[in-house]
Amino acid sequence: MATPVEAQITGSVWKIEKAVGDALAEGDVIMILESMKMEIPVEAPASGRLSEIRVEEGQSIEEGAVLAMID
Amino acid sequence: MFRRVLIANRGEIARRVIRACRSLGIETVAIHSEADSQAPHVREADRSVAIGPAPARESYLDANKILAAAAETGADALHPGYGFLSENADFADAARGAGIAFIGPPSRAIRAMGDKAEARRRMQAAGVPVTPGTGVVADADEAASAASRIGYPVMIKASAGGGGIGMVPCENETELRKGYVTATGRAKASFGDGSVYLERLVHGARHVEIQLAADSRGDVVHLFERECSVQRRHQKVLEETPAPGLARDVRDAMGEAAIRAARAIDYENVGTVEYLVAPDGAFYFMEMNTRLQVEHPVTEATTGVDLVALQIRLAAGEPLGLSQVGLRQQGHAIELRLYAEDPVKGFLPSPGTVTRLVWPEAPWLRIDSGIESGTKVTPFYDPLLAKLIVFGDDREQAIDRARTVIGGVVVEGVRTNAPLLARVLEDPAFRRGELAIHYLSQLLGRS
């Protein structure tokens, strides 16, 4: 079952650290968000394979937005 | 005196500078990004100029756009506030080159203190104590041999750095070698310069700083200290003056050393020397901030000196008009920094729209705020919403008043760190004045 990776905060995507197809362990940093001059890492909520990245670097995102999917 | 000042900043500090200009009869020009078009500072200034999109690098950090706005509006001076371009010597040069007075120190002084490793060397030469440490280290091997000479634990710091960015504490050589890679990488990414140096960590140290003011004739005074140990991730949360429990002779020696530091670099305008103070009273130069500090109001509240008006007068070439013997501190002042952070979610940033806002009122309370009811707090800039500055006859009264104030603040629509501030003010260790840089992490660790 696919697991969505959601944004904990409103901000923007600063840096994407993983690519589609990468194997992930729970807790691996997938991307780093930026909000109010703070960098906030987005960690994999579960182990699996990164099947989809739905955002681009520099893109603004709202809290709760789905950033990526893990299979 | 200047006729029209452009304020190259936003939020509470832009409003603070507008008030100071007004008190001196000077017209003001605000700049703003697209995200700030409805911000209070824009409405309060006599004129305003839109300078670009929301991201700071396309607006508040774009020197060319800011200087064009100054030229377009006929501003004869520019106040940089804090953060953004306030410690950018090239920006100061560019402004002055365009015939616009930069309300701040000479660019050579900004450069001298901007290179942190070089600043340490110059301070040492001027007889200002520095922690055992190094100049810039060439590689991990040199860092390792220097660290074994200085003694662990050490802190790796970015030479071009500030604000805690790129700092890595290391307990041993393994951590140091790993930390060297992290620190140089972060320094390169943040400042475009990967140079790092080492300093020995001072156990149980407090962060106490000295406010300075200097004129172009070479007169320098200090306006006493500010205790800034209550911080989280190198971000100050609460500041106060006088520093509780700081021996008078230590405080005087810190002030005198700060004056030596200013003289060593021919400093002009207001500035701040930050020190680490060890439990035994030994103090060490950390860095000098060549600008107005966020926490300047606690000094104003206890000395009666308007530091922003003083900055403007000094930049216009006026003499200091203050003497060290004539300066006195009266009472006690505490500043509470209200941040848009969610304490329940690990202090994550909390942007949003302020739907309801109630500030308490009292004759002993000053509020420097960047928000009003209806203000949109965006994710583009720092999370500081407002500063609540409480004055008391003594520390105990100031703390009691601060507790009343924080209990009376209502901010809806964004989450704030008010519960953390309340907790600090209620903490017996804080009330006893048992402060150190690790104070807040220990307090949070107890929960």
Side-chain angles (χ1 to χ4, degrees):
Chain A
M1 200 186 72
T3 309
V5 181
E6 294 179 0
Q8 283 180 283
I9 48 135
T10 296
S12 61
V13 180
W14 182 59
K15 208 170 163 190
I16 297 175
E17 305 254 313
K18 299 283 184 200
V20 169
D22 282 359
L24 297 172
E26 188 180 330
D28 280 357
V29 175
I30 302 170
M31 63 183 76
I32 298 169
L33 306 182
E34 186 185 5
S35 184
M36 294 181 156
K37 289 172 71 184
M38 267 175 73
E39 292 166 18
I40 299 110
V42 177
E43 296 176 357
S47 312
R49 191 184 61 88
L50 190 60
S51 59
E52 193 184 349
I53 294 176
R54 296 192 180 178
V55 291
E56 293 172 0
E57 288 184 0
Q59 185 181 328
S60 295
I61 42 105
E62 297 287 325
E63 182 178 341
V66 176
L67 306 168
M69 297 295 289
I70 300 173
D71 270 342
Chain B
M1 184 44 78
F2 306 120
R3 196 168 58 86
R4 190 174 293 148
V5 170
L6 179 137
I7 298 133
N9 217 298
R10 61 179 302 282
E12 67 86 18
I13 196 60
R15 299 178 86 186
R16 170 72 188 92
V17 177
I18 291 170
R19 285 200 302 281
C21 287
R22 214 145 267 171
S23 74
L24 296 168
I26 300 169
E27 289 177 33
T28 53
V29 180
I31 57 167
H32 67 88
S33 69
E34 284 166 12
D36 279 341
S37 60
Q38 304 300 314
H41 80 277
V42 176
R43 209 178 45 249
E44 286 170 6
D46 297 311
R47 299 180 65 174
S48 65
V49 183
I51 54 157
R57 65 183 173 279
E58 296 172 56
S59 50
Y60 299 105
L61 286 171
D62 189 325
N64 291 332
K65 285 182 184 166
I66 294 169
L67 294 175
E72 179 193 318
T73 53
D76 51 359
L78 180 158
H79 194 300
Y82 52 68
F84 294 129
L85 295 168
S86 61
E87 291 180 285
N88 185 313
D90 293 340
F91 179 60
D93 276 340
R96 288 173 177 139
I100 300 158
F102 179 83
I103 300 173
S107 46
R108 60 179 153 68
I110 303 176
R111 285 200 178 91
M113 290 294 136
D115 178 338
K116 304 300 175 190
E118 172 66 8
R120 274 175 58 85
R121 193 192 62 73
R122 291 188 72 159
M123 292 301 101
Q124 225 168 349
V128 179
V130 300
T131 45
T134 68
V136 170
V137 288
D139 52 35
D141 288 337
E142 190 184 327
S145 76
S148 59
R149 193 176 64 242
I150 300 165
Y152 287 96
V154 297
M155 182 76 96
I156 309 177
K157 291 187 169 184
S159 192
I165 299 164
M167 282 175 21
V168 182
C170 312
E171 292 286 342
N172 52 49
E173 186 170 336
T174 311
E175 285 184 18
L176 180 95
R177 287 184 178 276
K178 201 167 152 230
Y180 180 85
V181 177
T182 312
T184 50
R186 277 196 212 147
K188 185 101 180 83
S190 302
F191 311 111
D193 174 0
S195 307
V196 297
Y197 64 100
L198 306 183
E199 269 183 29
R200 187 161 74 205
L201 270 172
V202 182
H203 274 298
R206 296 161 71 168
H207 173 147
V208 182
E209 62 189 24
I210 298 284
Q211 176 68 55
L212 288 167
D215 66 17
S216 58
R217 291 157 180 77
D219 281 336
V220 188
V221 294
H222 72 79
L223 291 97
F224 313 102
E225 82 281 18
R226 289 183 291 257
E227 160 64 60
C228 305
S229 297
V230 182
Q231 36 183 277
R232 224 187 106 267
R233 291 188 187 164
H234 310 291
Q235 185 187 51
K236 294 167 188 166
V237 171
L238 177 154
E239 304 94 343
E240 61 182 306
T241 189
L246 189 67
R248 195 183 181 91
D249 58 335
V250 173
R251 178 176 117 141
D252 291 347
M254 289 170 68
E256 284 157 20
I259 289 175
R260 284 202 297 281
R263 289 196 195 285
I265 57 164
D266 295 323
Y267 198 77
E268 290 173 36
N269 215 279
V270 313
T272 295
V273 172
E274 295 189 335
Y275 293 109
L276 287 174
V277 183
D280 65 1
F283 62 89
Y284 305 98
F285 172 85
M286 220 180 345
E287 62 181 35
M288 180 167 182
N289 294 317
T290 55
R291 56 168 166 83
L292 186 69
Q293 296 281 90
V294 178
E295 59 274 21
H296 73 276
V298 293
T299 299
E300 296 182 323
T302 50
T303 62
V305 176
D306 181 332
L307 288 168
V308 183
L310 181 61
Q311 280 193 297
I312 298 169
R313 291 199 298 98
L314 291 169
E318 289 189 14
L320 202 48
L322 299 168
S323 68
Q324 197 64 61
V325 288
L327 282 163
R328 288 275 179 280
Q329 247 189 330
Q330 197 198 344
H332 195 100
I334 298 177
E335 172 179 281
L336 310 172
R337 293 197 193 188
L338 195 68
Y339 288 118
E341 293 175 345
D342 188 349
V344 179
K345 281 167 69 179
F347 298 95
L348 280 179
S350 177
T353 299
V354 179
T355 51
R356 185 161 169 255
L357 182 65
V358 181
W359 296 132
E361 284 180 40
W364 38 262
L365 172 64
R366 163 178 164 185
I367 298 178
D368 285 11
S369 164
I371 56 164
E372 296 170 334
S373 187
T375 299
K376 199 168 174 215
V377 180
T378 70
F380 300 105
Y381 316 111
D382 74 62
L384 183 65
L385 298 172
K387 305 182 309 204
L388 308 156
I389 304 108
V390 180
F391 181 83
D393 293 334
D394 53 30
R395 187 169 188 261
E396 199 180 347
Q397 187 182 50
I399 292 174
D400 286 340
R401 286 176 167 176
R403 288 173 72 178
T404 309
V405 165
I406 205 66
V409 169
V410 180
V411 182
E412 290 175 9
V414 296
R415 289 172 288 264
T416 77
N417 67 333
L420 174 68
L421 292 165
R423 198 167 155 204
V424 170
L425 294 165
E426 283 158 21
D427 176 41
F430 174 79
R431 293 189 76 100
R432 287 194 299 268
E434 292 168 6
L435 297 174
I437 290 169
H438 58 244
Y439 163 77
L440 210 45
S441 61
Q442 287 185 339
L443 180 74
L444 292 166
R446 290 207 294 267
S447 57

